[in-house]
Amino acid sequence: QVQLVESGGGLVQAGGSLRLSCAASGRAFSGYAMGWFRQAPGKEREFVAAISRSGLSTYDTNSTKGRFTISRDNVKNTVRLQMNSVKPEDTAVYYCAASWNTNWPPVKYDYWGQGTQVTVSS
């Protein structure tokens, strides 16, 4: 089992940058693929990016491609989401998640953090 705690959210102006972090505790962090999701008010939760166990493979979406970068540190048990050139439509609660699933990219996530709010002002 793994516990996930996100941090780094806040208020940022459009065009600015923000870096989210997710600290993992528990067993075998390097055994999990990790992902970031977001949920805007009144909308369903959507996938943002994923990173493989080794960190060598990443997967993201067209809406954030070229702007957001996912990375991980298996020594420090953290996964990060670097958000650049943010837009008002990036406003959401951002969640990190861990997947034991062997598919790539993962189709199911087993553990979730409680989320961190990101608000982008225009």
Side-chain angles (χ1 to χ4, degrees), residues 5-117:
V5 179
E6 302 94 337
S7 62
L11 177 64
V12 60
Q13 286 190 330
S17 297
L18 206 61
R19 189 175 75 168
L20 306 183
S21 293
C22 174
S25 59
R27 298 181 59 186
F29 173 72
S30 61
Y32 293 91
M34 299 298 295
W36 284 97
F37 292 76
R38 66 186 182 185
Q39 187 166 20
K43 295 187 177 182
E44 294 187 353
R45 185 170 58 194
E46 67 171 343
F47 170 80
V48 174
I51 189 164
S52 64
R53 289 161 176 78
S54 65
L56 294 179
S57 297
T58 62
Y59 184 78
D60 54 18
T61 65
N62 289 335
S63 63
T64 60
K65 192 177 292 292
R67 300 189 299 121
F68 291 8
T69 302
I70 188 171
S71 62
R72 69 186 294 163
D73 185 330
N74 284 346
V75 174
K76 295 182 178 180
N77 286 6
T78 58
V79 61
R80 295 185 176 93
L81 185 69
Q82 178 67 44
M83 306 168 61
N84 297 329
S85 302
V86 296
K87 305 175 181 179
E89 51 264 42
D90 294 322
T91 295
V93 178
Y94 283 72
Y95 300 89
C96 73
S99 174
W100 195 251
N101 190 265
T102 56
N103 295 71
W104 179 256
V107 297
K108 176 181 177 293
Y109 286 81
D110 304 288
Y111 302 102
W112 296 83
Q114 293 190 327
T116 186
Q117 175 70 47

